[in-house]
């Protein structure tokens, strides 16, 4: 008898669409184990207008104009000014290699409202996957305090349990951008999966992967092009050679169970607030590591500590095989 295949994971993906978010959206839009219900944009890597444009361009490019995109928050929960990362993702959030052309339109309503609507429509089935600052998720919690009972869970790309930070010594960018929002998300009583720098710094793409993408259709070629600037950034900032993290796509794959962590204890975790040097740090109680992580009362945060680094090959193969962009090419032949 044939084994029954698990149903695709229903997902609402929330992104501050820079380069790695683009790959995450492509993975979610193309992978048969994901039922991508909707995408929400959020400020972060880039301003909200650019993030929304990039979310729309990516779903349309993937031939998934059926996936609604809702515009989200333009800055942190407590109203402090947003701080962007154009130096990492390029002025267009696409490694300065996008065309910048507008494609499609966001639906009416906010990304937070969209999350709530879809959670209510599919009780217990939707995984919220948030790979930017957690502002929209915190807003959704504020609007709908029963959201934790309505969703399957929340998976984030964010935080660092044992790894160093990437904005400060201890804080990862998505948490550092909006610690108050992150604290609300960590404190809510849902199944939270944290896919942080512990694993995302160890799964990288290099020029060999870019060449494989470039050998595919125009979707792969586009992806290869936007990664060029990103590899330069990581060469200077982190690795001393041209390779870049995949970051956000790992969270999508963990949420879809297409990437099964080899170590992911469920522990108590919290976000450091205040104005001190550890603002935005994620503190995870890993004291049980020498005894196989015994049960902790009240713990609901699954902290991913190890995954298979070969995931890079898998996502590259998926995008390279995706064929041609459904967005017509411009006169330079670019999507
Ligand atoms: C995270 O910050 C952003 O720059 C990336 O898109 C990723 O979500 C990594 O710290
Ligand atoms: Ca991101």
């Amino acid at each position: 008898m044939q084994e029954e295949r698990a149903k695709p994971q229903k997902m609402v993906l929330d992104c501050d669409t820079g380069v790695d978010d683009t790959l995450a959206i492509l993975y979610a839009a193309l992978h048969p184990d994901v039922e991508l219900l909707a995408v929400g944009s959020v400020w972060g890597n880039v301003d909200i207008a650019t993030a929304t444009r990039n979310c729309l361009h990516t779903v349309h490019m993937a031939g998934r104009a059926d996936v609604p995109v809702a515009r989200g928050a333009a800055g942190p929960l407590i109203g402090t000014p947003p701080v962007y990362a154009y130096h990492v993702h390029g002025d267009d959030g696409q490694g300065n290699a996008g065309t910048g052309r507008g494609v499609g339109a966001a639906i009416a309503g906010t990304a937070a409202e969209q999350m709530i609507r879809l959670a209510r429509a599919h009780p217990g089935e939707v995984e919220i996957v948030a790979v930017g600052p957690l502002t929209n998720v915190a807003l959704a919690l504020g609007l709908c305090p029963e959201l934790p009972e309505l969703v399957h869970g929340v998976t984030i790309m964010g935080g660092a349990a044992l790894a160093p930070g990437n904005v400060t010594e201890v804080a990862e960018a998505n948490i550092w951008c909006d610690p108050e929002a992150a604290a609300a998300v960590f404190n809510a009583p849902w199944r939270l999966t944290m896919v942080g720098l512990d694993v995302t710094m160890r799964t990288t793409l290099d020029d060999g992967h870019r060449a494989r993408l470039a050998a595919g259709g125009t979707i792969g070629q586009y992806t290869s092009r936007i990664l060029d600037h990103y590899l330069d950034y990581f060469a200077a900032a982190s690795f001393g050679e041209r390779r870049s993290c995949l970051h956000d796509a790992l969270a999508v794959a963990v949420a879809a169970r297409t990437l099964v962590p080899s170590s992911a204890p469920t522990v108590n975790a919290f976000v450091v607030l205040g104005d001190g040097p550890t603002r935005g740090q994620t503190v995870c109680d890993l004291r049980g590591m020498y005894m196989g992580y015994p049960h902790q009362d009240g713990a609901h945060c699954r902290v991913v500590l190890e995954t298979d680094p070969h995931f890079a090959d898998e996502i590259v193969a998926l995008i390279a095989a995706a064929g041609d962009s459904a967005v017509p090419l411009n006169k330079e032949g670019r999507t």
Side-chain angles (χ1 to χ4, degrees):
M1 207 173 72
Q2 258 203 337
E3 213 181 292
E4 210 186 308
R5 197 155 168 266
K7 278 206 297 192
Q9 177 63 53
K10 289 187 182 11
M11 198 177 283
V12 175
L13 181 55
D14 202 70
C15 307
D16 57 334
T17 303
V19 174
D20 62 316
D21 304 74
T22 302
L23 273 77
I25 298 173
L26 285 174
Y27 188 83
L30 296 168
H31 202 290
D33 290 355
V34 178
E35 185 181 344
L36 182 60
L37 298 177
V39 171
S41 63
V42 67
W43 75 281
N45 290 324
V46 293
D47 63 275
I48 190 63
T50 307
T52 307
R53 181 266 167 204
N54 292 343
C55 291
L56 282 161
H57 175 262
T58 311
V59 292
H60 280 256
M61 179 170 65
R64 296 297 312 274
D66 59 301
V67 175
V69 173
R71 182 182 171 118
L77 199 59
I78 59 171
T80 45
V83 178
Y84 305 118
Y86 293 109
H87 62 297
V88 181
H89 297 269
D91 295 340
D92 60 356
Q94 301 283 275
N96 299 323
T99 63
R101 284 185 301 167
V103 183
I107 61 163
T110 66
E113 289 163 356
Q114 172 174 256
M115 251 174 228
I116 296 166
R117 181 166 37 77
L118 290 167
R120 285 195 174 128
H122 307 279
E125 290 190 80
V126 174
E127 186 77 10
I128 295 173
V129 182
V131 299
L134 294 169
T135 322
N136 291 340
V137 189
L139 287 169
L141 272 172
L143 290 170
C144 177
E146 67 277 20
L147 194 60
E149 290 121 61
L150 291 173
V151 297
H152 177 262
V154 176
T155 300
I156 63 163
M157 187 283 132
L162 297 170
N166 62 357
V167 179
T168 70
E169 293 87 332
V170 294
E172 180 279 330
N174 289 338
I175 307 295
W176 178 85
C177 277
D178 197 345
E180 281 72 20
V185 171
F186 273 68
N187 293 340
W190 43 25
R191 211 176 56 97
L192 176 68
T193 300
M194 175 178 132
V195 182
L197 298 177
D198 303 279
V199 284
T200 69
M201 289 301 288
R202 288 195 260 130
T203 305
T204 57
L205 293 173
D206 58 24
D207 281 310
H209 293 104
R210 287 188 59 234
R212 279 184 251 163
L213 289 164
T218 53
I219 298 177
Q221 289 159 20
Y222 179 83
T223 310
S224 170
R225 233 177 16 247
I226 68 171
L227 279 164
D228 192 21
H229 175 278
Y230 204 52
L231 262 65
D232 277 344
Y233 167 77
F234 276 100
S238 306
F239 297 126
E241 61 183 9
R242 273 179 58 85
R243 63 196 170 90
S244 76
C245 296
L246 258 171
H247 286 316
D248 293 347
L250 262 83
V252 173
V254 168
R257 293 177 296 281
T258 53
L259 178 64
V260 178
S262 40
S263 171
T266 297
V267 299
N268 285 300
F270 65 92
V271 175
V272 177
L273 299 178
D275 293 327
T278 58
R279 177 171 170 80
Q281 182 178 13
T282 47
V283 177
C284 304
D285 186 352
L286 300 181
R287 287 175 289 182
M289 74 191 302
Y290 309 106
M291 331 188 253
Y293 297 106
H295 170 81
Q296 294 178 15
D297 285 343
H300 58 95
C301 180
R302 188 165 70 115
V303 179
V304 177
L305 295 174
E306 273 169 43
T307 52
D308 183 346
H310 296 110
F311 175 66
D313 294 326
E314 190 205 316
I315 184 170
V316 162
L318 183 77
I319 297 174
D324 287 335
S325 168
V327 174
L329 305 185
N330 71 5
K331 12 186 219 315
E332 285 89 43
R334 296 189 159 197
T335 185

